[in-house]
């Protein structure tokens, strides 16, 4: 089974802090994704990566950046955290073509910005 | 661009009753379709997927879904719901003209004993 592990289940940070969310997958998947999940809005794609050191903007990249130095690890960075970034963050991975392969999800990080 | 709609935000059923969750998509050709389930405090788990072929797809946990091209729908069904099925369900669509899956806004299922 694919295992996608997010480093923290719950995280509390202060406004203006630089925040790092880490995600690791163990199935040698090429593609990795970061989503945020908010009630009534479903999943919104922040960034994705289809290879090491490659990144593509999703639908809501503002205020975020990502890093993929190794194939198994994909980090989401909040450059200067703000209260409107309080949310559930989900990491996912897949192989092959992004549009026709299922994505495998971690358990999420619930981030609160005070 | 493709889109996906889950018209029901919240559904309540009694344990043992049948279930149908609706999903409608918008795309000119045959899309790739997925259903996921998210239990409280968990990530999303794949229930089933449709790529081509037989329009009735069987998944895990006793779920099935039927692709109806004429209605642009991919509804999820289960003949008898268990209390453990209470969760949020997401439909997703992928198409060859874009590098992502589009997720619906989800349907929250509540199950009464």
């Amino acid at each position: 089974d694919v295992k996608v592990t997010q480093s923290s289940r719950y995280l509390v940070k202060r406004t203006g802090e630089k925040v790092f969310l880490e995600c690791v997958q163990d199935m040698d998947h090429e593609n990795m994704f970061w989503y945020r999940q908010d009630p009534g809005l479903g999943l919104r794609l922040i960034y994705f990566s289809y290879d090491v050191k490659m990144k593509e903007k999703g639908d809501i990249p503002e205020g975020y950046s990502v890093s993929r130095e190794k194939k198994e690890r994909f980090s989401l960075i909040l450059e200067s955290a703000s209260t409107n970034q309080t949310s559930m963050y989900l990491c996912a991975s897949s192989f092959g073509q992004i549009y026709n392969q299922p994505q495998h999800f971690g358990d999420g990080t619930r981030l609160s910005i005070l | 661009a493709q889109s996906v709609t889950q018209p029901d935000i919240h559904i309540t059923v009694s344990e043992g009753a049948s279930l149908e969750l609706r999903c409608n998509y918008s795309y000119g050709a045959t899309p790739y379709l997925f259903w996921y389930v998210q239990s409280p405090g968990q990530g999303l788990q794949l229930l089933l997927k449709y790529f081509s072929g037989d329009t009735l797809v069987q998944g895990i946990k006793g779920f099935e879904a039927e692709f109806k091209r004429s209605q642009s729908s991919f509804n999820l069904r289960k003949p008898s719901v268990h209390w453990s099925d209470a969760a949020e369900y997401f439909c997703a669509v992928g198409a060859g003209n874009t590098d992502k899956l589009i997720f619906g806004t989800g349907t929250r299922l509540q199950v009464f004993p």
Side-chain angles (χ1 to χ4, degrees):
Chain A
D1 267 359
V2 177
K3 184 73 174 172
V4 179
T5 303
Q6 296 184 229
S7 54
S8 305
R9 293 296 301 272
Y10 301 93
L11 208 52
V12 180
K13 295 293 183 180
R14 295 203 175 274
T15 303
E17 280 192 70
K18 191 169 186 176
V19 181
F20 294 85
L21 303 184
E22 306 287 344
C23 175
V24 177
Q25 51 96 2
D26 66 356
M27 282 300 293
D28 203 35
H29 284 173
E30 300 94 339
N31 310 310
M32 296 189 75
F33 309 85
W34 276 106
Y35 294 90
R36 66 175 281 175
Q37 182 181 15
D38 300 288
L41 298 178
L43 275 68
R44 293 181 291 167
L45 183 63
I46 304 171
Y47 268 97
F48 65 101
S49 166
Y50 51 87
D51 201 353
V52 176
K53 296 194 186 296
M54 305 299 291
K55 60 183 180 184
E56 295 287 339
K57 292 180 180 179
D59 299 315
I60 52 165
E62 296 77 19
Y64 302 94
S65 63
V66 290
S67 172
R68 191 156 180 213
E69 296 296 319
K70 294 184 177 181
K71 190 174 186 179
E72 67 271 19
R73 186 179 297 271
F74 193 36
S75 303
L76 179 69
I77 303 155
L78 285 65
E79 297 290 346
S80 177
S82 65
T83 55
N84 62 12
Q85 293 177 309
T86 291
S87 186
M88 168 73 94
Y89 289 87
L90 293 169
C91 176
S93 72
S94 73
F95 73 95
Q97 298 289 337
I98 290 174
Y99 60 86
N100 67 7
Q101 295 298 325
Q103 294 178 13
H104 302 267
F105 286 82
D107 285 338
T109 295
R110 187 164 294 281
L111 176 64
S112 296
I113 307 296
L114 304 179
Chain B
Q2 71 271 27
S3 64
V4 58
T5 302
Q6 294 181 248
D8 305 304
I9 296 172
H10 187 202
I11 284 183
T12 301
V13 299
S14 298
E15 191 169 18
S18 63
L19 172 70
E20 183 168 26
L21 302 182
R22 295 184 292 165
C23 173
N24 296 99
Y25 67 89
S26 172
Y27 182 58
T30 300
Y32 300 89
L33 296 160
F34 308 84
W35 272 103
Y36 286 86
V37 60
Q38 184 181 33
S39 299
Q42 304 291 317
L44 277 68
Q45 180 184 20
L46 181 71
L47 284 174
L48 47 79
K49 60 189 179 187
Y50 173 77
F51 288 178
S52 64
D54 193 346
T55 56
L56 186 62
V57 181
Q58 301 298 320
I60 63 171
K61 301 178 188 282
F63 286 92
E64 67 179 25
E66 186 171 12
F67 170 62
K68 292 187 177 180
R69 184 190 306 275
S70 61
Q71 298 177 19
S72 297
S73 69
F74 188 57
N75 294 349
L76 183 71
R77 300 194 296 245
K78 187 169 185 178
S80 178
V81 171
H82 189 261
W83 64 266
S84 59
D85 294 323
E88 189 150 22
Y89 292 80
F90 292 91
C91 181
V93 60
N97 62 347
T98 184
D99 256 350
K100 53 186 175 181
L101 296 185
I102 306 298
F103 287 83
T105 51
T107 297
R108 180 165 297 279
L109 174 66
Q110 193 171 7
V111 181
F112 279 114

